[in-house]
Amino acid sequence: MRHESSVVEDRGQYQSAVTPWEEEPWRDAALGWVEGELAARGLRMTGDLRVRLRPWSVLVRVSVQGRDAVWFKANPPASAFEGPLTAALARWVPEHVLEPIAVDAARGWSLLPDGGELFRSVLEREPVEPSTWEAFLGQYADMQHALTPYTQEIEQLGVPGARTTALPDVFDRLVEENSTLRPDDRRRLDDLRPRLVDWCAELAALGIEDTLDHSDLHDGQLFHPQPGRFTFFDWGDAAVSHPFCSLLVPARTACERYGHDVLPRLRDAYLEPWKGTGRTTADLRRAVSLAWRLGALGRACSWGRLFPAASDAADALGAAESVRWLLELSNDPPV
């Protein structure tokens, strides 16, 4: 059946990137796996395949006869944990995530149902008030809080550990392994390190437990199929770290749309589930300020993990992005 389907490819800005999709045996194996998993559930592939190819993943929209499309995703080894993590999240916090149809952990493959409309698509279609951002940040924080007891199990799935007390070591590794750092930037980061150690110690002393950090929670990483409902997905950048590091990306995205005046509202909405833990509002807000700065390490880690060497254009981009995020550490948080 799959040979009768037409294929539409989207390579974005990565026209020359090499992915497994170019290898016919791999492609046949992947589509055969999808076909088999659907058949086991009484479903059949039909229609076009829409393929999104990026250096960090292969994503295929598969039409299915008589129901919504499904999505096949292939992760590289550095983020092969995404499928097992998504399956585990569906057991632990099912109201917040997609439940995979099937996962092949050894090959880094997942088959997922359609999650509905992206929040980004809603933003493009109609005016959206900041209160909607407050709602999804509050829901996301609820999920993080609920996942706190599972941090060891999350790490056992292969999700990288970047715990608050270990962030200076993470920083050292990122600086040491990045071959594109200019000498002046390296000196700047070396000078910054003692302050980073102090920030991490202060944040850890506030006693907020590490949990799952999405690390890239922008408006294209959650579904908003209906008012008041949000579904979080795309966990390939995730880490176990300080929860408040997650606020950096969505808050910056919201500021680009509404201006910086929206930040206190978003911060307080995000902090609501963390109140009542014996910490003052001032303590929680201080933790946000510290974690906002340290969240840049999570972004640098993600780029460095997925592009471990500057051997081609994509890897060079990854190394450059990692440097850019490392240098963000010196910027004062706006909250």
Side-chain angles (χ1 to χ4, degrees):
M1 177 66 200
R2 54 185 185 272
H3 297 294
E4 300 172 13
S5 302
S6 63
V7 178
V8 178
E9 293 185 0
D10 165 20
R11 293 180 176 270
Q13 62 179 307
Y14 305 98
Q15 295 298 314
S16 61
V18 178
T19 73
W21 184 257
E22 283 78 53
E23 303 169 14
E24 186 174 355
W26 184 95
R27 188 170 63 246
D28 286 346
L31 293 178
W33 179 75
V34 171
E35 193 170 39
E37 293 295 339
L38 290 174
R41 294 159 178 82
L43 302 172
R44 188 166 67 93
M45 296 170 56
T46 182
D48 294 341
L49 299 176
R50 297 190 175 272
V51 186
R52 183 179 183 272
L53 300 173
R54 298 294 186 267
W56 53 83
S57 69
V58 173
L59 186 65
V60 184
R61 183 186 185 276
V62 181
S63 297
V64 178
Q65 189 175 49
R67 56 158 286 168
D68 291 337
V70 298
W71 296 84
F72 165 78
K73 185 171 185 178
N75 291 86
S79 61
F81 60 80
E82 183 177 359
L85 173 61
T86 303
L89 294 177
R91 296 193 301 272
W92 298 330
V93 285
E95 67 275 25
H96 299 298
V97 298
L98 293 174
E99 180 179 1
I101 298 168
V103 170
D104 186 324
R107 293 189 283 191
W109 293 353
S110 304
L111 189 62
L112 297 159
D114 190 86
E117 190 169 31
L118 284 175
F119 186 43
R120 175 172 293 171
S121 299
V122 177
L123 294 171
E124 292 171 349
R125 191 186 69 243
E126 62 189 40
V128 174
E129 293 298 316
S131 59
T132 304
W133 295 69
E134 295 173 46
F136 96 66
L137 285 171
Q139 180 183 327
Y140 174 75
D142 277 333
M143 179 183 67
Q144 286 185 296
H145 200 276
L147 289 170
T148 301
Y150 300 103
T151 51
Q152 287 189 337
E153 291 173 73
I154 292 171
E155 287 178 319
Q156 288 168 1
L157 293 171
V159 178
R163 291 178 179 262
T164 307
T165 54
L167 287 177
D169 295 332
V170 171
F171 171 84
D172 290 343
R173 187 182 72 250
L174 287 168
V175 172
E176 179 181 355
E177 293 177 353
N178 194 302
S179 60
T180 67
L181 269 171
R182 299 181 303 178
D184 57 332
D185 287 337
R186 192 175 294 273
R187 286 192 296 272
R188 181 178 166 190
L189 291 171
D190 287 343
D191 291 342
L192 180 70
R193 190 184 188 282
R195 296 168 60 202
L196 182 138
V197 171
D198 291 342
W199 296 329
C200 294
E202 182 183 355
L203 185 57
L206 290 170
I208 298 161
E209 293 182 82
D210 293 323
T211 185
L212 187 65
D213 171 19
H214 186 287
S215 295
D216 194 24
L217 188 62
H218 57 70
D219 51 15
Q221 308 282 43
L222 67 152
F223 297 110
H224 186 33
Q226 59 189 52
R229 181 183 172 192
F230 304 94
T231 304
F232 305 100
F233 72 103
D234 204 343
W235 298 96
D237 293 314
V240 171
S241 192
H242 196 283
F244 296 2
C245 290
S246 286
L247 187 59
L248 171 65
V249 171
R252 283 170 58 130
T253 305
C255 285
E256 293 172 2
R257 178 171 291 268
Y258 303 105
H260 279 78
D261 289 346
V262 77
L263 273 178
R265 291 176 56 183
L266 300 183
R267 174 200 61 198
D268 292 346
Y270 174 78
L271 287 176
E272 190 64 33
W274 304 96
K275 294 179 179 178
T277 57
R279 299 174 189 88
T280 66
T281 298
D283 284 342
L284 292 172
R285 289 178 175 177
R286 176 57 179 163
V288 164
S289 183
L290 292 163
W292 178 288
R293 192 191 298 264
L294 296 170
L297 282 175
R299 298 302 303 129
C301 276
S302 180
W303 282 103
R305 186 169 70 241
L306 295 176
F307 303 96
S311 57
D312 60 26
D315 287 345
L317 172 64
E321 283 294 309
S322 185
V323 170
R324 182 176 73 82
W325 280 105
L326 283 171
L327 296 176
E328 287 270 347
L329 288 163
S330 62
N331 295 336
D332 291 331
V335 289

